[in-house]
Amino acid sequence: MITSIANPQVKRVVQLQKKARLRREEGLFVVEGPRMFREVPRERLEKVYVSSGYLTLPEHREQLAGMDWEEVEDKVFARMSDTQSPQGVLCLVRQREDSLDSLLEREAPLLLVLEDIQDPGNLGTIFRTAEGAGVHGIIMSRGCADIYNPKTIRSTMGSIYRVPFCVCQELSPALDRLEQAGVRTYAAHLQGKNTYDQESYLGGTAFLIGNEGNGLSPEVSARAACRIRIPMEGQLESLNAGVAAAILMYEAGRQRRNVSTSSVCHCPAR
């Protein structure tokens, strides 16, 4: 049993929780809680740490069969945890990232392109919503929040394991590749010609979602094949980036479930 916060393993976990650079260097990230632990792909599981209290239930011990795990005194485990109410289990998981080309292998892919999303919780929620809406992959700019930030990981509710994604140093080459692959790009924009529900998303589709405070940069917005807007009542000028992304993703999902396009129009390419 680990009984001291001075233990090198404890220090390592704490640093992995706090430092994105160390996570990148080691190719690892930390997940916490029974649900996130149960859903980890076993081939990516590096090591498991459990509190003494967690081990008091026989079913918890059974879950650990065949795994590399370490018991940690409850007070020490609380220091390792990134949450105020530790749930008794955390683990180190190997990072993975898909290539842009792999996201384009599917016929008529439905994709998100995220530019500089800053809030880790917002980013994680977008991943979770993307899985629910049937999105096939997410492309992120290097300026987005760290996908392996503990808050982001918790917000994904396990979608981090299942939604393919890639991080691009620059979005312009990625947008070139989308165009070459016949994927039509739509920018969520206040100056959109049509409302979001007047377009067809049955072919290859990518929604461009911008920074929470500033929206899409002029450079990325100008690259979109079409600008679309989400109509709003009252005095609001914009929606939360995660909410806007959810509206667009679910509209695309609705259309793909119901392929009738009789009432859908198409704005000309820009």
Side-chain angles (χ1 to χ4, degrees), residues 2 9-10 12-13 47-51 68-72 77 80 88-92:
I2 295 176
Q9 293 188 71
V10 174
R12 180 190 184 207
V13 170
K47 184 149 188 179
V48 182
Y49 295 92
V50 292
S51 68
D68 182 11
W69 60 276
E70 194 94 35
E71 181 179 354
V72 184
F77 187 92
M80 296 171 71
V89 58
L90 63 80
C91 49
L92 303 184

Side-chain angles (χ1 to χ4, degrees), residues 170-192:
E170 300 289 342
L171 283 182
S172 184
L175 295 175
D176 289 339
R177 182 70 186 89
L178 292 179
E179 185 176 354
Q180 293 165 6
V183 175
R184 187 173 175 82
T185 52
Y186 295 86
H189 202 282
L190 293 174
Q191 298 176 359

Side-chain angles (χ1 to χ4, degrees), residues 32-36 49-51 53-54 60 77 81 83-90 154:
E32 296 193 52
R35 176 176 176 176
M36 292 290 289
Y49 295 92
V50 292
S51 68
Y54 187 82
H60 288 169
F77 187 92
S81 174
T83 64
Q84 292 185 348
S85 301
Q87 298 180 60
V89 58
L90 63 80
R154 287 195 297 274

Side-chain angles (χ1 to χ4, degrees), residues 113-224:
V113 179
L114 306 180
E115 183 185 28
D116 298 352
I117 299 296
Q118 294 295 295
D119 182 74
N122 204 18
L123 181 60
T125 299
I126 289 174
F127 264 73
R128 182 183 179 186
T129 308
E131 181 181 12
V135 168
H136 301 128
I138 296 178
I139 302 165
M140 293 180 285
S141 70
R142 183 62 68 182
C144 283
D146 179 18
I147 186 60
Y148 294 116
N149 179 293
K151 184 177 180 180
T152 309
I153 296 298
R154 287 195 297 274
S155 298
T156 69
M157 294 293 288
S159 295
I160 184 64
Y161 306 137
R162 298 179 291 271
V163 177
F165 69 90
C166 66
V167 179
C168 299
Q169 199 68 37
E170 300 289 342
L171 283 182
S172 184
L175 295 175
D176 289 339
R177 182 70 186 89
L178 292 179
E179 185 176 354
Q180 293 165 6
V183 175
R184 187 173 175 82
T185 52
Y186 295 86
H189 202 282
L190 293 174
Q191 298 176 359
K193 180 182 186 297
N194 291 328
T195 58
Y196 73 96
D197 54 356
Q198 292 179 302
E199 290 290 326
S200 172
Y201 309 120
L202 300 180
T205 297
F207 293 119
L208 312 183
I209 305 295
N211 173 271
E212 293 94 336
N214 302 314
L216 289 168
S217 67
E219 295 78 15
V220 170
S221 179
R223 295 293 308 276

Side-chain angles (χ1 to χ4, degrees), residues 250-264:
Y250 270 93
E251 172 60 18
R254 182 195 67 80
Q255 290 187 18
R256 289 173 179 229
R257 289 191 300 273
N258 177 13
V259 294
S260 174
T261 59
S262 58
S263 62
V264 179

Side-chain angles (χ1 to χ4, degrees), residues 74-125:
D74 289 347
K75 290 183 179 180
V76 177
F77 187 92
R79 293 291 296 270
M80 296 171 71
S81 174
D82 187 63
T83 64
Q84 292 185 348
S85 301
Q87 298 180 60
V89 58
L90 63 80
C91 49
L92 303 184
V93 183
R94 299 183 191 94
Q95 297 181 11
R96 69 114 176 97
E97 184 176 329
D98 302 274
S99 68
L100 178 56
D101 284 344
S102 70
L103 301 188
L104 296 171
E105 291 176 351
R106 180 189 295 264
E107 183 178 357
L110 176 59
L111 306 171
L112 281 185
V113 179
L114 306 180
E115 183 185 28
D116 298 352
I117 299 296
Q118 294 295 295
D119 182 74
N122 204 18
L123 181 60
T125 299

